Amino acid sequence: MKKVFLPIFVLTWIIVLTGLWLVQPGNSSSSVLEYVFIGVLLVFFIMGIYLAYGRIKRKKQGLPEEDELSRKVAQKAAAISYYLSLFLWLVLIYMQSHVIINIKWLFSTGMIGMAIIFVISWVIINNRGINDEK
Amino acid sequence: MMKNRMKELRARYDLTQNDLAVKVKVRRETIVFLEKGKYNPSLKLAYDISKVFEHKIEDVFIFDEE
């Protein structure tokens, strides 16, 4: 049951932090970028609900919430997304030194970008499977 | 390359992918990937699957040297 609470805990934090971010003072000027961030967070939220539902359903069927394949997929996705995120931050640092960029925009883009890279890596690896022989 | 006879043996024992998943304590998706050859199991999982089918590991998972 502990493992079912993890996605719920993460989802709760996403909701709370998004709420705090939206109601913070001086945040009246909603740029297009902020709507993009909210959209991305919404997609993550829906995905989180889907994953939590899958875990609860498996639990009811007497199947484990995670197994050796799901752990390997998560590990490989984390490794690939870490590697790709380094390039993302390099590009952002390069942009920051050559173009005038708001520091809030820079960090928001970096963090959301990292999350997007992880989710895409996870979805691709989860669909393709892991075959170490290739 | 590793091949396996899981699908054939599962049919012989009249087991669904879900039944086998419950018996070896993995998700159904893992059984799907194993049967498609998209994932090579750990030694423990290979042993558990072979035990369900009452065969030796090398009879269920066949290593093709070519």
Side-chain angles (χ1 to χ4, degrees):
Chain A
M1 203 65 194
K2 196 174 78 181
K3 286 168 187 170
V4 176
F5 280 113
L6 185 68
I8 294 168
F9 177 77
V10 173
L11 286 177
T12 310
W13 270 110
I14 289 175
I15 295 166
V16 169
L17 292 175
T18 309
L20 286 172
W21 180 38
L22 290 174
V23 299
Q24 64 180 303
N27 195 25
S28 55
S29 58
S30 300
S31 65
V32 176
L33 196 67
E34 284 179 344
Y35 285 119
V36 171
F37 287 166
I38 293 166
V40 170
L41 285 171
L42 201 66
V43 170
F44 288 168
F45 179 71
I46 292 164
M47 273 188 74
I49 288 176
Y50 174 75
L51 292 175
Y53 172 74
R55 283 185 170 214
I56 292 165
K57 196 175 149 189
R58 278 195 289 275
K59 184 96 182 161
K60 281 182 182 172
Q61 288 176 337
L63 295 167
E65 294 150 29
E66 59 177 22
D67 60 10
E68 60 176 55
L69 177 59
S70 67
R71 277 192 290 271
K72 276 188 183 175
V73 167
Q75 283 169 6
K76 196 164 183 179
I80 289 172
S81 61
Y82 171 75
Y83 178 72
L84 294 175
S85 296
L86 291 176
F87 289 99
L88 171 73
W89 281 107
L90 276 177
V91 169
L92 289 172
I93 289 166
Y94 176 83
M95 281 175 70
Q96 201 259 337
S97 57
H98 288 79
V99 187
I100 299 166
I101 299 174
N102 182 349
I103 202 80
K104 183 187 157 190
W105 184 91
L106 185 82
F107 280 104
S108 308
T109 309
M111 285 189 286
I112 294 280
M114 285 174 77
I116 291 171
I117 289 169
F118 176 76
V119 170
I120 291 172
S121 307
W122 185 85
V123 169
I124 291 171
I125 296 166
N126 199 43
N127 286 319
R128 286 178 64 181
I130 295 175
N131 196 339
D132 296 331
E133 287 177 4
K134 287 174 186 171
Chain B
M1 191 185 169
M2 181 112 83
K3 291 176 181 173
N4 69 69
R5 294 171 56 214
M6 280 176 63
K7 203 170 182 177
E8 174 204 329
L9 291 166
R10 193 168 55 73
R12 194 184 292 174
Y13 280 76
D14 197 24
L15 289 171
T16 63
Q17 289 176 334
N18 213 57
D19 295 335
L20 182 59
V22 171
K23 281 179 186 287
V24 296
K25 296 185 178 67
V26 293
R27 299 173 309 144
R28 193 184 64 82
E29 291 86 343
T30 304
I31 302 296
V32 174
F33 277 100
L34 284 168
E35 288 186 358
K36 284 183 180 173
K38 287 184 172 181
Y39 175 60
N40 289 335
S42 66
L43 190 57
K44 166 86 170 64
L45 181 55
Y47 174 78
D48 289 343
I49 291 168
S50 307
K51 206 173 165 185
V52 169
F53 294 135
E54 296 168 322
H55 277 65
K56 289 179 183 173
I57 290 181
E58 60 265 35
D59 293 335
V60 181
F61 298 94
I62 302 138
F63 189 74
D64 184 4
E65 287 185 30
E66 288 175 16

